[in-house]
Amino acid sequence: MSATAHSASPATAAAAGAAPQSAALRSFEAQWHARRAGPLHALRESAMQRFVQLGLPTMRDETWRYTNLRALAAHAYVDAAGDAPAAALQSDSLRSPALRIVNGVPCAADRARLLENGLEIMPLSELLRGDPVLLRGFLEPLSDADQQRWALLNTALFVDGLYIRITARLAAPLRLVHVTAGPGAAHPRVIIEAAPGSAATIVEEHVSHGDADSLCNSVTQIAAGAGAEIEHYRIFRGGPRAAHIDTLDIRQAGGSRCKQFTICLGGALLRTNLEARLEAAGAALDSYALLVGHGSRHADCVNIATHSAPDTRSRQTARIIASGDSRVIFNSKVIVCTGAVRSESMQSCRGLLMSPAAEIDTRPQLEIHTDEVKCAHGATTGRLDPDMLFYMLSRGLDRRTAQSLLVYAFLADVMTDMSPAAGRDSIDSALLAQLPESDLLRGLR
Amino acid sequence: MLKISNLTARVAGKNILNGVDLEVNAGEIHALMGPNGSGKSTLAQILAGREDYEITGGSVLFEGRDLLALPPEERARAGLFLGFQYPVEIPGVNNVYLLKAALNAKRKAAGEPEVDAYEFLALIKQKMKFMQMSESFLTRGVNEGFSGGEKKRNEVLQMLVLEPKLAILDETDSGLDIDALKVVSNGVNSLRDPHRSVVLVTHYQRLLDYIVPDRVHVFSGGRILKSGDKSLALELEKRGYDWLQESRVA
Ligand SMILES: Nc1ncnc2c1ncn2[C@@H]1O[C@H](COP(=O)(O)OP(=O)(O)OP(=O)(O)O)[C@@H](O)[C@H]1O
Ligand SMILES: [Mg+2]
């Protein structure tokens, strides 16, 4: 295929009035030009065009008000796909059995080990060749919404990924470990389809490998059939130079239940999007965000739950801790569409500031287009309670232990709702490792 | 044991302690009584190391050491215990973890090994039985959802486990029913020992029927107005505080 087949050249973008192109944008275009055309080429090309036309999100975009991508935009990214250094596969956080996905490409050997009754796993590259019509259904429609901007880029540039179909009630959790090996950008994509009545726990863990600047632009889509029960984790544990933008789309049919955990424990820059659509009566979503701002980390979490049918329920719980000069943002929004009567929603967000330079911004929003709904929201941010702290000091505990106990207690609401099978203990340990005096804390539990 | 000399303190620009003098010897029990707002809790909190108060003068010696120079956790490890007038609820921090951490902090400071988990559980179960607390309190958060009386029992439970040299009990008797008052009093009396001292802040002379004090002090306007033996408490019960203030002005 020739480069002229692509209309998303810098010249057209400039003509469409987009902002001056950044190094990052030009490098993404270069990646696109280097790809060979395959099935769904036209669709992916239009995704690329839209991304180039709209440009990288800026602080003028509604959901990007708190996140400045200037540093990221100045970076020229090479295509990280395919070249997986062997060392990246030795990552210590891997707990077997897990399916490793390195720079967006799943390891064939892992996949063979994991197959069981009721679980189908197919690389997206295979699905693209074998059943492009099925895949198209997940890539369309393309959205211009600013929280979906990076998903457009992923749609254009993903090289591979996973299509996971669940047809039974799976006993063991399915563990995916995404490794981004810098330098460069990876665009992993995971599509999970849960058949009616099926059930599964899926843990997606994101780690980075190496010291170079890396960018991971991941997209996960979950379609939960009628009555399906899905528990999904996305755990971010990137290194100190890792930038990560993750977009999670969930669509829920009647009576389906989805429990979603977003856990930020690493990375320099993290942006997570969650868009959940409750599309038929009885669909219920429980989303939890546990965000730890450490050092100079910047984490920006956007959750949008849309109730488009009557008798649907969503609950969003966020617990945020920020220390150092980190900044953590949590924006949640509930949209209740016309006709979605008897919908119930709850948004609870609590932030804990651990240092004077840390910052937490929260914004719960409600958009209600019908009567007869029950929507509650609350957001508070503060410091450790001095009365509680003094009480513990007066019993002889040292200050750091007392603080850690309080922090740990603060997170308990989210931790206790996790299934132990999903590795609550390992999440727990990773979390404790970022708290002061973690060894003392371990001894206390 | 404890020697307070001319202690003055203020908070938010307001003088609250106006020259407190108090000496408590080893083995003694002192009762501190006085009207609401006179500064009894302020004194107790300052002794435990609360930093919200500005100490403007005076000194406090605890076993000959400058107490005010120590951070609160070191005071506790050195053997000082404050039973809070309003024990705070700490949801999510297990009641027993806190006690175990407290005991271990004290042992560590004394150069002793950490308590064995099994022994600790046996110890705490025994003390809970003594305090007539159900074992369900083992699994609950610190004071979380405890009734007023349960919180006070929990304070005494902590005191029994930590075995302090000096216990300051700030209205530990308030809000207790008759049976609980006996249980709490038994708890305090069980610690009575020639090497230990207790300061009881109370509004009720009834408590002093169960825990007989060596000295009774009347606290008013941020200082000790009058001291005496147990009979002073009976006189206060009959006559209130006004006669004292009047006699002072006169
Ligand atoms: N942080 C503060 N800011 C302003 N005033 C304070 C503060 N803390 C205490 N005070 C005031 O100091 C005075 C003494 O309070 P304290 O609690 O010591 O009294 P008390 O003798 O223990 O009373 P009670 O018998 O009611 O428990 C009160 O007038 C109280 O309002
Ligand atoms: Mg008081």
Side-chain angles (χ1 to χ4, degrees):
Chain A
M1 112 142 290
S2 70
T4 51
H6 302 279
S7 51
S9 66
T12 26
Q21 289 207 340
S22 61
L25 200 66
R26 282 196 304 274
S27 69
F28 295 137
E29 278 195 292
Q31 288 179 29
W32 169 251
H33 286 294
R35 299 285 166 84
R36 276 180 298 150
L40 303 183
H41 180 77
L43 170 65
R44 300 183 72 179
E45 182 172 52
S46 64
M48 189 70 209
Q49 279 175 12
R50 286 216 208 177
F51 180 77
V52 172
Q53 271 166 20
L54 295 165
L56 300 189
T58 70
M59 293 171 88
R60 285 188 298 277
D61 290 298
E62 175 66 14
T63 73
W64 291 87
R65 287 169 37 168
Y66 299 95
T67 298
N68 190 336
L69 294 179
R70 213 179 293 138
L72 189 152
H75 204 96
Y77 290 96
V78 297
D79 212 334
D83 39 293
L89 297 175
Q90 311 300 323
S91 183
D92 55 353
S93 67
L94 299 188
R95 289 155 35 107
S96 57
L99 202 168
R100 289 165 295 184
I101 301 157
V102 180
N103 288 341
V105 181
C107 295
D110 290 348
R111 184 165 62 97
R113 267 192 286 116
L114 285 169
L115 290 180
E116 61 168 298
N117 276 342
L119 174 65
E120 295 162 26
I121 303 178
M122 187 192 281
L124 277 194
S125 51
E126 237 171 74
L127 188 68
L128 188 62
R129 284 192 301 273
D131 196 347
V133 179
L134 175 67
L135 182 55
R136 173 186 280 273
F138 286 97
L139 303 187
E140 282 183 328
L142 300 178
S143 166
D144 285 345
D146 58 55
Q147 72 272 14
Q148 290 286 344
R149 187 73 45 81
W150 289 86
L152 280 177
L153 185 67
N154 179 290
T155 297
L157 289 181
F158 74 82
V159 175
D160 205 340
L162 289 174
Y163 171 72
I164 296 165
R165 191 171 147 77
I166 298 148
T167 55
R169 300 181 69 86
L170 303 184
L174 174 63
R175 188 174 295 277
L176 311 179
V177 178
H178 293 269
V179 184
T180 305
H187 307 275
R189 191 164 191 124
V190 173
I191 296 170
I192 299 163
E193 205 176 359
S198 65
T201 296
I202 297 150
V203 181
E204 286 192 77
E205 188 165 352
H206 294 270
V207 299
S208 64
H209 176 79
D211 303 327
D213 287 323
S214 62
L215 171 65
C216 183
N217 172 32
S218 48
V219 173
T220 295
Q221 291 168 276
I222 299 173
E229 286 174 35
I230 295 294
E231 187 165 328
H232 177 262
Y233 293 75
R234 45 178 180 170
I235 305 167
F236 300 95
R237 302 182 60 181
R241 298 183 64 177
H244 199 132
I245 294 148
D246 181 82
T247 306
L248 172 61
D249 284 332
I250 301 178
R251 297 179 56 169
Q252 293 188 239
S256 65
R257 304 171 61 84
C258 195
K259 234 177 168 186
Q260 204 287 320
F261 292 86
T262 296
I263 298 163
C264 168
L265 295 170
L269 170 71
L270 174 67
R271 162 62 185 247
T272 66
N273 302 295
L274 166 63
E275 278 202 71
R277 292 186 182 75
L278 305 167
E279 297 181 326
L285 167 77
D286 283 289
S287 89
Y288 301 84
L290 199 161
L291 310 172
V292 179
H294 191 64
S296 52
R297 181 177 301 148
H298 181 103
D300 179 354
C301 184
V302 173
N303 278 12
I304 303 172
T306 303
H307 295 247
S308 53
D311 301 300
T312 46
R313 183 179 71 73
S314 71
R315 227 175 56 181
Q316 301 184 44
T317 307
R319 295 291 178 266
I320 305 166
I321 303 171
S323 60
D325 59 351
S326 65
R327 187 161 187 211
V328 183
I329 299 114
F330 183 80
N331 279 321
S332 64
K333 186 173 185 176
V334 169
I335 302 170
V336 182
C337 304
T338 314
V341 289
R342 295 178 304 277
S343 288
E344 281 185 36
S345 77
M346 192 279 288
Q347 301 171 73
S348 149
C349 177
R350 289 174 59 198
L352 189 56
L353 286 164
M354 297 294 290
S355 73
E359 195 177 328
I360 295 174
D361 298 284
T362 62
R363 202 157 60 118
Q365 290 175 275
L366 269 174
E367 197 183 297
I368 301 178
H369 301 281
T370 189
D371 298 333
E372 233 195 298
V373 295
K374 261 194 237 162
C375 297
H377 66 82
T380 55
T381 291
R383 295 179 190 279
L384 286 179
D385 186 301
D387 292 333
M388 295 184 190
L389 206 54
F390 179 65
Y391 189 84
M392 293 205 262
L393 296 179
S394 79
R395 297 301 178 246
L397 274 68
D398 64 81
R399 193 170 290 269
R400 285 161 71 82
T401 306
Q403 283 180 346
S404 293
L405 273 174
L406 288 179
V407 169
Y408 195 69
F410 174 80
L411 300 174
D413 288 0
V414 171
M415 298 300 294
T416 49
D417 280 1
M418 290 181 188
S419 307
R424 181 168 73 200
D425 290 348
S426 82
I427 293 167
D428 215 38
S429 308
L431 181 69
L432 287 178
Q434 300 205 2
L435 301 178
E437 293 300 298
S438 45
D439 292 341
L440 282 168
L441 270 185
R442 278 196 191 94
L444 287 173
R445 286 183 309 126
Chain B
M1 174 75 64
L2 180 73
K3 189 172 192 319
I4 304 174
S5 312
N6 199 22
L7 185 66
T8 56
R10 67 174 170 204
V11 63
K14 187 175 151 198
N15 293 324
I16 305 208
L17 298 188
N18 297 304
V20 180
D21 289 296
L22 176 66
E23 186 160 0
V24 180
N25 297 312
E28 289 179 352
I29 294 191
H30 288 225
L32 205 58
M33 307 183 80
N36 294 134
S38 57
K40 305 179 297 295
S41 294
T42 302
L43 175 65
Q45 298 267 328
I46 285 175
L47 293 176
R50 184 106 199 183
E51 277 147 12
D52 305 355
Y53 304 95
E54 187 195 345
I55 291 156
T56 49
S59 66
V60 181
L61 294 180
F62 176 56
E63 296 201 300
R65 291 167 81 184
D66 178 6
L67 188 72
L68 301 179
L70 300 177
E73 61 273 26
E74 285 181 29
R75 300 183 195 193
R77 291 172 201 162
L80 186 140
F81 179 90
L82 170 64
F84 284 72
Q85 182 174 2
Y86 304 109
V88 64
E89 298 194 16
I90 314 180
V93 174
N94 180 279
N95 205 24
V96 175
Y97 290 155
L98 175 72
L99 247 182
K100 191 172 159 200
L103 184 60
N104 279 334
K106 190 188 157 203
R107 293 174 71 122
K108 199 173 148 194
E112 294 166 14
E114 290 202 347
V115 61
D116 169 82
Y118 190 79
E119 277 173 34
F120 178 75
L121 199 64
L123 171 78
I124 192 156
K125 282 187 176 171
Q126 178 221 326
K127 302 288 186 197
M128 283 174 92
K129 202 167 167 197
F130 186 76
M131 290 309 296
Q132 299 185 13
M133 291 171 75
S134 108
E135 286 191 10
S136 68
F137 289 99
L138 284 170
T139 54
R140 286 168 72 173
V142 176
N143 296 319
E144 188 179 359
F146 289 22
S147 75
E150 287 165 352
K151 284 180 185 164
K152 297 301 175 74
R153 276 186 214 219
N154 198 40
E155 295 291 286
V156 177
L157 172 73
Q158 294 181 8
M159 180 183 77
L160 293 184
V161 171
L162 295 175
E163 299 183 324
K165 290 179 192 154
L166 172 65
I168 301 161
L169 300 176
D170 192 356
E171 296 200 26
T172 302
D173 58 328
S174 294
L176 294 182
D177 62 44
I178 286 291
D179 292 336
L181 186 67
K182 282 182 195 158
V183 169
V184 162
S185 305
N186 286 340
V188 176
N189 286 328
S190 76
L191 270 190
R192 221 170 173 160
D193 168 311
H195 306 290
R196 258 190 261 283
S197 314
V198 180
V199 175
L200 296 170
V201 177
T202 182
H203 287 294
Y204 306 105
Q205 106 81 27
R206 190 184 59 185
L207 174 72
L208 307 180
D209 289 340
Y210 296 100
I211 310 172
V212 181
D214 299 293
R215 300 286 289 163
V216 174
H217 309 277
V218 181
F219 205 84
S220 179
R223 60 163 69 96
I224 289 174
L225 262 190
K226 192 174 172 65
S227 301
D229 61 11
K230 190 183 176 315
S231 62
L232 177 58
L234 289 166
E235 192 165 1
L236 290 171
E237 180 92 339
K238 260 187 271 154
R239 300 178 61 185
Y241 293 114
D242 285 352
W243 64 279
L244 275 171
Q245 257 125 359
E246 281 155 21
S247 67
R248 195 184 151 82
V249 171

